[in-house]
Amino acid sequence: MLGKTAGGLFWMARLLERSENTARMIETGQRIALTRAGSGADDWLSVLQAGAMSQGYIEKHGEVTADLAIDWMLRDPDNPASVMSVVGQARQNARLVRTALTHEAWEAVNSCWMMLRDAMARRVRDRDLPRVLALVRERSALVRGAIHGTMLRNEIYDFVRIGTFIERADNTARILDVKYYVLLPSAAAVGSRLDNVQWDTILRSVSAEGGYRIAIGPDVTPRGIAQFLILDKCMPRSLNFCCGKLRDNLNYLASDYGMRLPCHQTVDTMCRRFLSHDVNAIFEYGLHEYVQGVLENLSALSNQIEIDYRFYG
């Protein structure tokens, strides 16, 4: 596994990114509920599944409800992937490698944990949920800003960036999979106004609606959105952008250490396999199958990085 220093930096970044992504997933679930009739139990179950949180939820609660699902994803201590759990783990990792971080970066991580702990000391009410979700995004952004603005561009920074972009690519893929599983009530809805409204929901869940209209135009279509979130090289949450940054930072490490390792071949193969096709080929292949392939390859890349850089720290 990754050495102590590299592992602390890598997982600190991954977990902080995951906290923001979970908040975005909850927001997606809420927006989905507004466009569909019924209790929404199936919708929230699919959101839990997309976030890999469904098994523990079912074991504890059984029946799926919006209130319990949101509390499970936000603050339940029995859920190791809840926002509060992962922020706590990120803070612990940051503490372990505190000497590798600037004072500003450590303070930003510590303040993130303290503010979210206070905001989620008790179950979040419906009227307070938008404010709490915005706070999660805001504090995560402040940590990124402190890291970006104060840290040297060396191997320490590279491991932070690698953790961030593996997690971010994973989240974008999962949100696209939520669309596949949840949003369309029937095949008849494909191409309908409901279909387009729900695809627009996916854009909003990654704060991409403004960027989409600048890059693609005012017409919101499934293919346009998929192209933007998968293939656009300028959109900071697209799969193409994230994979490009992963490759860049791994290449910086290769240059620093004077050697290329299996993870470098893994990321090159992943970029070539999944990002060299146009959006029509992706839809023809199957969006769900494509997304599952991306997720499997991201997991394999993460495991290979941990093996290759176990000597660091």
Side-chain angles (χ1 to χ4, degrees):
M1 294 292 99
L2 278 167
K4 177 183 175 182
T5 303
L9 295 165
F10 176 83
W11 281 105
M12 176 199 76
R14 280 201 71 165
L15 292 163
L16 285 170
E17 183 71 21
R18 189 174 299 176
S19 71
E20 179 179 351
N21 294 339
T22 299
R24 291 177 182 278
M25 197 79 75
I26 293 170
E27 207 164 45
T28 301
Q30 280 195 307
R31 290 183 182 276
I32 289 169
L34 293 176
T35 64
R36 287 169 64 92
S39 65
D42 290 342
D43 298 346
W44 280 106
L45 176 59
S46 296
V47 172
L48 288 166
Q49 288 171 339
M53 302 183 203
S54 59
Q55 182 176 347
Y57 176 94
I58 296 298
E59 290 174 356
K60 179 170 182 177
H61 296 294
E63 181 183 5
V64 177
T65 67
D67 288 344
L68 289 176
I70 290 169
D71 193 64
W72 176 256
M73 297 176 76
L74 265 186
R75 56 181 291 278
D76 196 311
D78 293 332
N79 177 13
S82 71
V83 170
M84 277 312 305
S85 293
V86 298
V87 170
Q89 294 168 49
R91 178 177 179 264
Q92 184 60 30
N93 277 283
R95 174 178 280 175
L96 289 173
V97 295
R98 188 167 176 178
T99 55
L101 299 171
T102 60
H103 173 75
E104 291 85 354
W106 160 251
E107 285 298 322
V109 174
N110 195 44
S111 295
C112 174
W113 177 76
M114 289 191 296
M115 292 194 71
L116 294 182
R117 176 196 60 186
D118 294 343
M120 290 185 260
R122 56 187 60 84
R123 181 171 292 188
V124 179
R125 295 174 294 183
D126 287 346
R127 68 181 184 184
D128 295 326
L129 185 60
R131 175 183 60 82
V132 171
L133 295 178
L135 181 64
V136 175
R137 296 195 305 273
E138 174 190 300
R139 300 314 301 187
S140 178
L142 286 172
V143 174
R144 282 198 303 275
I147 291 170
H148 186 75
T150 65
M151 290 183 63
L152 294 174
R153 276 17 178 203
N154 56 13
E155 67 272 21
I156 291 172
Y157 185 79
D158 290 331
F159 281 115
V160 170
R161 297 283 280 179
I162 290 166
T164 295
F165 284 110
I166 282 184
E167 191 66 33
R168 187 174 294 179
D170 181 274
N171 178 71
T172 296
R174 290 181 184 278
I175 284 181
L176 285 167
D177 222 22
V178 168
K179 166 62 182 166
Y180 178 88
Y181 273 123
V182 179
L183 291 179
L184 288 182
S186 71
V190 176
S192 68
R193 181 178 177 277
L194 175 62
D195 184 29
N196 292 336
V197 166
Q198 292 167 340
W199 274 104
D200 189 64
T201 292
I202 296 298
L203 274 183
R204 291 175 180 275
S205 71
V206 291
S207 299
E209 65 272 26
Y212 176 91
R213 285 168 175 81
I214 292 171
I216 306 295
D219 294 332
V220 178
T221 66
R223 270 178 168 72
I225 291 173
Q227 178 178 328
F228 190 57
L229 295 186
I230 294 171
L231 300 174
D232 194 280
K233 293 181 179 180
C234 298
M235 197 279 171
R237 292 186 174 274
S238 77
L239 296 181
N240 202 353
F241 185 94
C242 292
C243 288
K245 292 300 181 183
L246 285 170
R247 183 164 51 188
D248 289 346
N249 283 277
L250 284 168
N251 285 337
Y252 297 150
L253 288 175
S255 178
D256 289 341
Y257 290 110
M259 58 181 172
R260 287 180 64 84
L261 298 168
C263 63
H264 297 97
Q265 180 61 47
T266 301
V267 73
D268 287 345
T269 301
M270 182 175 71
C271 291
R272 186 169 58 252
R273 178 182 175 189
F274 290 100
L275 301 171
S276 60
H277 308 286
D278 64 22
V279 71
N280 292 325
I282 292 171
F283 270 80
E284 184 176 342
Y285 178 73
L287 182 61
H288 171 64
E289 290 76 13
Y290 175 88
V291 165
Q292 288 300 307
V294 170
L295 290 171
E296 290 170 6
N297 277 259
L298 285 169
S299 178
L301 176 61
S302 178
N303 291 337
Q304 191 63 57
I305 290 169
E306 292 209 59
I307 292 169
D308 289 349
Y309 287 99
R310 62 190 181 280
F311 59 82
Y312 182 79

